[in-house]
Amino acid sequence: MCHDSLAQVDGINAAPSLFSRTSLQPIRMEVNDTATILSSAFLAVEYVDAVLPDNPLQPSFQQAWGYMNDNYTKFQIATWGSLIVHEAIYFLFCLPGFLFQFIPFMQKYKIQPDKPETWEKQWKCFKMLLFNHFLIQFPMICGTYHFTEFFSIPYDWDSMPRWPYLLLQCLGCAVIEDTWHYFLHRLLHHRRIYKYIHKVHHDFTSPFGMQAEYAHPAETVILGAGFFIGIMVFCNHVTLLWAWVTFRLMETIDVHSGYDIPLNPMHLIPFYAGSRFHDFHHMNFVGNYGSTFTWWDKLFQTDAQYNKHQLGKKDQ
């Protein structure tokens, strides 16, 4: 990405020395901090894995996994299995936010209470989702089998990593995807191309969970590509594909939910952006470009307007 593109995003004037030797030092520090986090996470996983008792559901899960491998081909598992996982997880995680609009008690947690969901908006969103899921994403899912064959990714039970390792791999995938998302998302907000692609995602200034994958088909491909980079780096079993898609959908639906729910377990993730952070992006259109974490926005100070907004709310 060129310096001029970044400097002109949304009219934000980046510092002239953005990529000078001096200013690269914070970037190196961020990379080192990320590596330290991943290393610490790996050690924590090793410890947790050593002390955890066996999962009581493991025999049943092993039996179901064996049945799947015995009765379906790798192509069916990778293609149709991945599609079923994606659709089931997506709409399952969207369900709580959808129900919140009918529960008066939950309205106190809505971030923009003056902009309620409407049936018209939700129906418009649902139609776009069906188009994107089955005509854009499904052809991409069809390549999953060929990916696993090319890289000799196993499907068997004995090669499956334990869940703490899957969790760590998902964290690594999230770090990579968030980096891709920040820079490409910021580029999509450039004044010369915003109206052609990313404007579709901003049809709703007050997001709701189902809107997480409401986007122009080109954006679905451009930003969605970041999902697969981590897979290429970390994938050592087909279960990571499903674990990572579960984690990513849970995260993106949460930040688009429009509700800031107390005791949200997602906030246990270090540097997690959360719904308020991303909700401001939809309300303000400028800044807060990260998908999962806040560190790139902090580094390039594209969270300045959000921080000012939060301080103003505190003063009130």
Side-chain angles (χ1 to χ4, degrees):
M1 185 182 301
C2 66
H3 173 216
D4 290 341
S5 296
L6 281 176
Q8 297 176 26
V9 174
D10 288 318
I12 297 175
N13 295 319
S17 60
L18 182 61
F19 293 101
S20 67
R21 180 177 300 178
T22 302
S23 62
L24 280 175
Q25 186 175 357
I27 299 178
R28 295 194 187 99
M29 292 174 62
E30 285 289 334
V31 172
N32 290 336
D33 288 345
T34 303
T36 302
I37 291 170
L38 291 176
S39 177
S40 300
F42 180 79
L43 292 175
V45 165
E46 287 279 353
Y47 175 77
V48 170
D49 188 48
V51 300
L52 277 178
D54 289 335
N55 185 350
L57 299 177
Q58 184 169 320
S60 299
F61 183 64
Q62 182 177 1
Q63 184 178 5
W65 193 267
Y67 178 86
M68 180 183 70
N69 276 289
D70 292 341
N71 291 275
Y72 299 96
T73 66
K74 287 184 176 180
F75 177 81
Q76 290 172 324
I77 294 171
T79 305
W80 299 108
S82 297
L83 177 65
I84 291 170
V85 168
H86 181 275
E87 296 306 301
I89 293 296
Y90 190 88
F91 289 105
L92 178 64
F93 287 159
C94 285
L95 183 59
F98 175 79
L99 295 176
F100 287 164
Q101 64 183 309
F102 306 112
I103 305 174
F105 174 78
M106 298 304 299
Q107 297 314 300
K108 64 181 180 180
Y109 301 120
K110 186 165 175 58
I111 300 170
Q112 298 187 58
D114 58 326
K115 298 177 182 177
E117 298 90 343
T118 66
W119 287 110
E120 181 183 3
K121 290 179 180 179
Q122 291 173 101
W123 177 239
K124 177 182 178 182
C125 180
F126 183 70
K127 289 188 292 183
M128 174 68 85
L129 284 179
L130 292 181
F131 178 86
N132 280 345
H133 284 189
F134 292 100
L135 295 181
I136 306 299
Q137 292 182 358
F138 181 59
M140 297 169 70
I141 290 174
C142 287
T144 303
Y145 166 74
H146 303 287
F147 167 80
T148 59
E149 287 296 289
F150 183 81
F151 289 101
S152 300
I153 304 298
Y155 289 63
D156 63 298
W157 174 264
D158 293 334
S159 301
M160 186 186 300
R162 289 181 57 126
W163 72 264
Y165 292 93
L166 281 174
L167 191 63
L168 180 61
Q169 288 172 316
C170 286
L171 176 62
C173 288
V175 170
I176 293 173
E177 189 281 333
D178 180 74
T179 301
W180 174 274
H181 188 99
Y182 176 85
F183 290 103
L184 271 296
H185 183 194
R186 187 173 176 181
L187 181 61
L188 288 176
H189 271 270
H190 191 285
R191 61 172 66 92
R192 293 184 179 178
I193 59 176
Y194 170 79
K195 63 181 179 181
Y196 299 110
I197 300 177
H198 192 55
K199 187 177 186 298
V200 173
H201 185 66
H202 281 276
D203 279 352
F204 309 111
T205 55
S206 178
F208 47 92
M210 193 167 56
Q211 193 226 336
E213 291 188 338
Y214 176 91
H216 189 285
E219 178 176 339
T220 300
V221 175
I222 293 169
L223 295 186
F227 173 89
F228 297 99
I229 299 174
I231 291 294
M232 290 189 287
V233 173
F234 294 105
C235 192
N236 59 353
H237 196 277
V238 72
T239 50
L240 178 61
L241 294 169
W242 295 350
W244 169 224
V245 77
T246 299
F247 180 91
R248 176 67 179 125
L249 289 179
M250 182 165 56
E251 176 275 324
T252 191
I253 291 169
D254 176 55
V255 302
H256 284 92
S257 68
Y259 290 85
D260 187 15
I261 308 300
L263 303 179
N264 185 341
M266 296 294 289
H267 288 280
L268 296 174
I269 301 172
F271 305 104
Y272 182 65
S275 55
R276 285 196 177 275
F277 190 83
H278 193 72
D279 200 280
F280 181 80
H281 174 77
H282 278 264
M283 180 177 66
N284 192 58
F285 296 95
V286 178
N288 294 18
Y289 300 109
S291 61
T292 305
F293 305 106
T294 58
W295 50 52
W296 288 113
D297 283 289
K298 289 183 182 298
L299 179 63
F300 290 110
Q301 297 182 348
T302 48
D303 62 348
Q305 294 189 31
Y306 170 73
N307 293 333
K308 184 178 180 181
H309 173 75
Q310 292 296 99
L311 285 174
K313 290 181 65 175
K314 287 181 180 179
D315 291 340
Q316 293 176 1

